[in-house]
Amino acid sequence: MRLAVVDTERCVGCQQSMFACVRRQGEAGLAKTCIAVRSVGGTERGFVVIVCRACDDPPCAKVCPTEALVSRKGGGVRLDSEKCIGCGHCQGACPIGAIFWDEETNKPMICVHCGYCAKYCPHTVLELEREEAEHVER
Amino acid sequence: MLNDDPLANVLYIDLSKRSYRVAQRQDLFEKYVGGAGVAVQLLEEECPQGCDPYGPHNPIIFAVGPLTGLFPLASKTVAMFKSPHTGNLGESHCGGRSAVALRMAGYGAIVINGTSDIPVYVAIHDGRVHFRDASVLWGMGSRFTVGRIIRENEPGSGLRTIMRIGRAGEQLVSYASVTTETYRHFGRLGLGAVFGCKKLKAVQISGKRSLPVADQKQYRTTYDEIYKTAVSSSAMKKYHDLGTPQNVLPLNDLGALPTRNLKEVRFEGVSNVSGETLAEQFLGRRLACSHCPVACIHVAALREPYEDEPYFYKTSMISYDYEPIYALATMLGVSDNRGFLELMDEVETVGVDAMSTGVILAWATEAMERGLISEKETLDLELSWGNHRAYVEAVRRIVSQPNDFYRALARGVKHAADQYGGADFALSFGGNEMPGYHTGPGAHVGALIGARHGHLDNAGYSLDQKAAATELPTPEKLVAALMAEEEWRQVLSSLVVCFFARGIYTQEIVSETLRSAGFELSKEDMEKIGMMIHRNKYRFKIREGFSLDDVRLPKRIFETESPIGMLDKAYFQDALSHFKNMLLASES
Ligand code: SF4
Ligand code: SF4
C-alpha cells in the first residue's frame, strides 16, 4: 500500500492531512508531520503536497551510510532509528524534499504510507492505493 | 491550562525601540481562556485611557486560544486595538494561516506597541523577532508583489502567515484593513490604519511545534467527532459549495437585502451577483483557513483583456463573499458581475474594508442624487447607481485624497455626513457602517448594542428570521436573546473558533475540547466567562467615551419596509433602555 497524491488542484490548503499525520503518532501540533502542503507561490495559485512518493528504488536509501533506511515492500523506505546517526544525507538526496526532520530526536521523519492522513483529506487529494494484487482480489 | 502549553507566552514588541520580550501570562489565560477574553484584558492593560488611536501608544493585540492547533475550525485570530474609525473599541477577527502560525510560533498573544520612524515589517520565527526595512514595500501598488517579496525573504513556507496593509493603511484611511494570505482580512474598524501610523507594513509569523494535550485518547475521540460533523453537516456543506454568497438569493427573496443605500430591499439584478451565478461563471478555486476542512473561501477567476493589444489577457483571482456582494454590488446597484469583481479587486488592492467602503459610496451616490454634493466635490466623477467604473476610481481617490471631500470619505460615512449633510441616510451604527441585513429590528438593535457594532456580534438577523416565521419578540426579550448570543460568542471567540462552526461547537463539545487542553470548565463557568468578557469590553468602551445616550439611528431604516413590516422607533427606544438596565444591573 502506498499513499498517492491524486490531484493537487483539488487541494484547498486546509492542512487537515498534516495535523492528521501528527495525531497518528500520538502527538498534537505540527512538529512531527511527514506531509507538507504549501502554496505554489501565493494561495491564489493553489498548492503543492510534499510527501514521500514511495520510489521503487529510493535515492535516500542509497546515500545512507549506515543502512538505516531499508526499502519497503510497495516502495519507499523504513527507518531503523537505532542505526541512524542523524547525518541528514537522506534529506539532501530526496529531490522532492519529502524527508522531514525531527528536531527532538535529530533523525529523519518519513511517511510510512499508512494512509491515516487520506482519511482526513476532505477533498480527495490523497488516497491510499492498494497493491495491484489486492485490486485483482477485490 | 496545561503547564507546558506555550499558549501562556505573550510576546511584547516595541517598534520604537525595536526590542521585544516574552512574558508568561498564565494568569490571563487561566481566567479568560484566550482570544477575545485575553485580548480585551491586554488592551485594557496596554492602551492608555483616551489615547490617540493614530498615536504611538495605541497597541495592536493579536490573540489565539487553547483550541488553536488542536481542533478543526479553531482557525481565527482576534485582533484588538483602539479603532481609528470609531475612536473606541476595535476588534476584528481573521483566519487564513494567522491563528495556527501564531500558535505554532509558540505564543498565545502578541502585543505590538510604539511606532517606527521608517517603514518596517516584522518577522517572527524561531523564538526571535526580526525588524526588517520595508521602505521598498511602502507605497507599492500590487498586493501580490508585497506578499511575494516577503515570502521570498523569510522562511516558513506553508507554515506562515503574512499580515499586511495596502496603500489605504499607509494613507491612514480610518477603515483600512489588514490582509492575510491574500484573501482573508482583519477587515473592520481600521486595524490597517493602526499598522499605517506605526509604519508597520506587515507582520510575518511562522513556526512548527508540538502541543501538549491532557489525554491523547480523549483528544482523538473528540477530534473525530468534530471532524465528522464538520464534513457531513448540511450547514457546512453549503459553506463549502457556494460559500457565504449562498445567502444572496434567500435574503433578496425575503426582502431584506439592502439595495441602493437601503432605499430598497430587493435588487432586480440579483441573479447576476448570486452565489450560484458567480460560482458558475467565475469560481476558479476554493481555499481553506488552516485546520478547516470546510474551505468556504471562494475565489473568482476574472479574465480581462488589455486594451492596448489584441489577444492579450490577464487573469485576476478575486475572492468574494456575501458581505462584499451586499456592499459593493446591491448597495451600489451594480448588476454587472464583472464590474462588481473589478470593484472588489480594487478594494482588495488598496486594502479597505469592503463593507464600510460600499456603505460610504452608497451614501455619496444618494447625496449626489439629492444635490448635497456635486461634480465639484467628486472632481468630475459621476457617482450613480451601477456605475462601477466611477466607483473603482472613487476607491482610488479615497486613498489618494485629492480634496476635502475624499478626505471626508476616508473617515467614514458618519464623518462625511457630518460635513455634507444626509445623516438620515448615512447608514452607520456606533460609527461603524451597516452590515448587509434589513431583516428586522434584531439586526439593527444588534448592530447598535453589539460591542463591535457588526453583524457577527450577536447575529440579530437570525433572530429576525425566526421572528418572521412566528412573531416579533418584545424589546426586552429581543435584547435578552441578543445579549445571550453575544455572551456565548465571547466564549467561542476566546477558544478561538470560527463562528461558522458555532453549530458544531455546542457547550458539551466545547467542554470536551477544553478538557483536552487542560481546562475544566462547566456550563456555568463558561456562561460566567462569556458575560465577564462582554462586560470587560463594555467597560473599555465606556472608559473611552462610548455612551448609549448618544447612539444615533439612521432614519433610513425606518423608511424602508423589512420582512416583518415597517420598523417602529419606539420599539428601538424600548430595547435600548432595556439594554442599559441589563448592563447596569450586572455591573452592580
Ligand atoms: S500516509 Fe501516514 S505517514 Fe504518510 S503522510 Fe499520511 S499519515 Fe503521515
Ligand atoms: S487535507 Fe487534503 S485538501 Fe486539505 S491540505 Fe491536505 S491534501 Fe490539501
Side-chain angles (χ1 to χ4, degrees):
Chain A
M1 288 191 292
R2 68 167 86 181
L3 180 75
V5 180
V6 190
D7 184 0
T8 52
E9 285 301 321
R10 296 176 70 110
C11 178
V12 296
C14 66
Q15 300 184 331
Q16 284 293 145
S17 47
M18 296 164 64
F19 283 105
C21 183
V22 175
R23 276 198 316 288
R24 73 135 180 127
Q25 301 171 68
E27 281 243 8
L30 286 174
K32 298 281 159 86
T33 182
C34 301
I35 180 168
V37 177
R38 61 168 177 76
S39 76
V40 186
T43 51
E44 66 275 11
R45 305 220 182 117
F47 299 91
V48 287
V49 178
I50 302 158
V51 66
C52 170
R53 295 290 174 123
C55 311
D56 290 325
D57 185 14
C60 53
K62 283 185 219 162
V63 299
C64 177
T66 63
E67 294 180 346
L69 291 174
V70 193
S71 286
R72 71 182 266 292
K73 192 173 154 264
V77 289
R78 199 173 47 76
L79 173 73
D80 183 340
S81 26
E82 273 179 25
K83 282 194 189 156
C84 170
I85 53 169
C87 67
H89 288 347
C90 53
Q91 208 177 18
C94 176
I96 57 168
I99 296 189
F100 300 89
W101 206 254
D102 188 336
E103 301 294 342
E104 221 177 318
T105 59
N106 193 37
K107 304 215 163 158
M109 302 186 296
I110 307 165
C111 170
V112 298
H113 298 273
C114 66
Y116 192 73
C117 56
K119 284 195 220 153
Y120 291 88
C121 171
H123 308 298
T124 14
V125 175
L126 306 170
E127 213 174 73
L128 190 66
E129 274 180 356
R130 317 258 152 200
E131 252 105 274
E132 300 278 300
E134 286 181 51
H135 273 298
V136 179
E137 271 168 31
R138 264 197 292 150
Chain B
M1 68 187 297
L2 298 168
N3 269 336
D4 47 348
D5 194 333
L7 187 68
N9 295 334
V10 176
L11 172 65
Y12 292 83
I13 299 174
D14 187 329
L15 292 173
S16 304
K17 297 189 187 133
R18 303 217 166 84
S19 65
Y20 62 94
R21 69 189 166 87
V22 177
Q24 296 290 313
R25 298 299 306 267
Q26 268 94 349
D27 58 319
L28 286 184
F29 288 88
E30 295 273 356
K31 193 162 174 201
Y32 297 105
V33 185
V38 166
V40 70
Q41 218 50 40
L42 285 168
L43 183 67
E44 160 88 43
E45 288 176 14
E46 296 292 321
C47 179
Q49 184 165 357
C51 103
D52 174 6
Y54 287 101
H57 302 299
N58 186 10
I60 298 169
I61 291 144
F62 293 114
V64 296
L67 304 195
T68 313
L70 289 189
F71 289 100
L73 292 148
S75 50
K76 297 267 169 168
T77 305
V78 172
M80 290 231 192
F81 47 98
K82 186 166 173 180
S83 164
H85 195 50
T86 62
N88 210 300
L89 177 74
E91 177 186 351
S92 191
H93 301 180
C94 178
R97 299 219 179 292
S98 62
V100 168
L102 209 160
R103 185 96 158 99
M104 288 293 108
Y107 309 102
I110 298 178
V111 177
I112 303 177
N113 242 314
T115 183
S116 174
D117 49 351
I118 56 157
V120 287
Y121 78 83
V122 163
I124 303 166
H125 44 78
D126 305 315
R128 295 167 77 168
V129 176
H130 308 265
F131 299 89
R132 315 270 203 223
D133 189 328
S135 308
V136 67
L137 302 177
W138 204 257
M140 200 168 253
S142 162
R143 60 201 167 109
F144 295 105
T145 311
V146 170
R148 184 178 52 75
I149 293 172
I150 297 176
R151 273 201 307 274
E152 281 172 7
N153 285 331
E154 305 296 335
S157 171
L159 299 164
R160 60 188 164 190
T161 187
I162 303 175
M163 307 169 173
R164 62 244 200 206
I165 58 169
R167 295 275 299 133
E170 297 171 8
Q171 295 296 110
L172 311 181
V173 174
S174 68
Y175 46 96
S177 62
V178 171
T179 303
T180 72
E181 288 62 86
T182 317
Y183 299 117
R184 296 290 90 184
H185 314 90
F186 292 102
R188 308 228 70 189
L189 297 170
L191 181 60
V194 184
F195 267 55
C197 54
K198 292 187 177 311
K199 287 259 174 11
L200 179 61
K201 181 71 186 176
V203 176
Q204 187 263 13
I205 309 169
S206 68
K208 194 178 180 187
R209 67 179 52 237
S210 296
L211 293 174
V213 289
D215 170 353
Q216 267 296 334
K217 192 157 165 264
Q218 186 258 358
Y219 168 55
R220 283 221 232 174
T221 317
T222 312
Y223 191 104
D224 286 346
E225 201 177 324
I226 295 169
Y227 180 79
K228 269 193 205 107
T229 335
V231 293
S232 61
S233 86
S234 61
M236 289 316 213
K237 188 171 171 341
K238 274 198 218 152
Y239 281 122
H240 176 67
D241 288 350
L242 292 179
T244 55
Q246 66 181 310
N247 290 324
V248 173
L249 290 181
L251 279 162
N252 187 70
D253 290 346
L254 203 64
L257 179 62
T259 300
R260 294 188 193 84
N261 205 32
L262 193 55
K263 290 203 282 187
E264 294 149 80
V265 282
R266 285 195 178 87
F267 183 40
E268 71 288 349
V270 75
S271 61
N272 290 341
V273 292
S274 68
E276 288 80 353
T277 304
L278 290 174
E280 279 156 23
Q281 297 186 4
F282 300 103
L283 184 56
R285 199 173 278 294
R286 280 182 222 172
L287 302 172
C289 296
S290 286
H291 219 166
C292 167
V294 178
C296 78
I297 308 166
H298 285 57
V299 185
L302 178 69
R303 194 174 82 133
E304 295 165 287
Y306 281 100
E307 271 159 22
D308 59 343
E309 212 182 306
Y311 304 115
F312 196 28
Y313 299 93
K314 70 166 176 181
T315 302
S316 312
M317 301 298 284
I318 306 158
S319 84
Y320 59 91
D321 261 298
Y322 171 73
E323 300 292 343
I325 294 173
Y326 138 73
L328 302 175
T330 70
M331 271 296 258
L332 300 177
V334 173
S335 56
D336 172 354
N337 49 26
R338 300 179 64 90
F340 155 69
L341 289 173
E342 280 166 35
L343 181 55
M344 182 72 225
D345 197 34
E346 192 58 36
V347 159
E348 291 270 38
T349 298
V350 303
V352 278
D353 178 44
M355 269 192 259
S356 289
T357 306
V359 172
I360 291 162
L361 291 176
W363 168 85
T365 308
E366 188 167 343
M368 196 157 190
E369 202 173 53
R370 289 169 178 253
L372 292 178
I373 54 166
S374 68
E375 265 96 3
K376 194 168 133 270
E377 280 79 23
T378 65
L379 302 175
D380 296 327
L381 212 53
E382 195 208 328
L383 298 174
S384 58
W385 307 118
N387 187 357
H388 72 265
R389 283 199 184 83
Y391 292 132
V392 168
E393 181 55 30
V395 169
R396 291 187 185 134
R397 292 185 190 173
I398 283 172
V399 176
S400 62
Q401 299 164 32
N403 68 359
D404 284 342
F405 175 68
Y406 288 104
R407 266 191 289 282
L409 293 192
R411 301 275 305 276
V413 80
K414 182 175 175 294
H415 184 85
D418 284 347
Q419 312 246 304
Y420 294 91
D424 287 350
F425 56 89
L427 290 160
S428 79
F429 295 90
N432 196 17
E433 284 72 19
M434 173 185 139
Y437 306 88
H438 189 54
T439 44
H444 299 307
V445 173
L448 203 59
I449 67 174
R452 304 188 270 158
H453 308 290
H455 63 296
L456 291 174
D457 283 333
N458 43 43
Y461 56 92
S462 110
L463 293 178
D464 288 333
Q465 272 153 292
K466 274 177 215 139
T470 53
E471 57 169 353
L472 194 62
T474 62
E476 191 175 1
K477 284 216 174 102
L478 177 82
V479 167
L482 289 170
M483 280 179 83
E485 181 65 24
E486 187 154 346
E487 286 170 10
W488 173 241
R489 287 182 177 221
Q490 303 314 309
V491 176
L492 295 178
S493 58
S494 298
L495 294 171
V496 178
V497 161
C498 175
F499 286 157
F500 293 166
R502 63 188 175 276
I504 299 175
Y505 278 85
T506 59
Q507 271 180 341
E508 293 69 34
I509 290 286
V510 169
S511 231
E512 286 298 307
T513 55
L514 279 173
R515 184 161 305 135
S516 291
F519 288 79
E520 288 292 340
L521 293 182
S522 68
K523 184 169 171 282
E524 289 70 37
D525 295 334
M526 282 188 243
E527 277 164 9
K528 222 170 83 200
I529 289 174
M531 175 162 164
M532 207 156 66
I533 298 170
H534 180 254
R535 298 308 185 273
N536 287 348
K537 287 187 184 173
Y538 252 89
R539 218 164 295 131
F540 181 87
K541 283 172 81 76
I542 288 164
R543 189 192 94 174
E544 294 304 316
F546 177 78
S547 165
L548 285 160
D549 299 324
D550 314 331
V551 295
R552 187 194 130 262
L553 285 162
K555 204 163 157 214
R556 175 57 46 82
I557 63 169
F558 301 107
E559 296 170 340
T560 303
E561 195 164 4
S562 83
I564 46 178
M566 292 306 258
L567 303 183
D568 175 11
K569 223 173 184 161
Y571 183 101
F572 278 71
Q573 299 303 352
D574 232 20
L576 262 185
S577 71
H578 281 297
F579 180 65
K580 267 188 247 175
N581 292 340
M582 286 169 89
L583 272 188
L584 283 176
S586 65
E587 283 300 285
S588 56

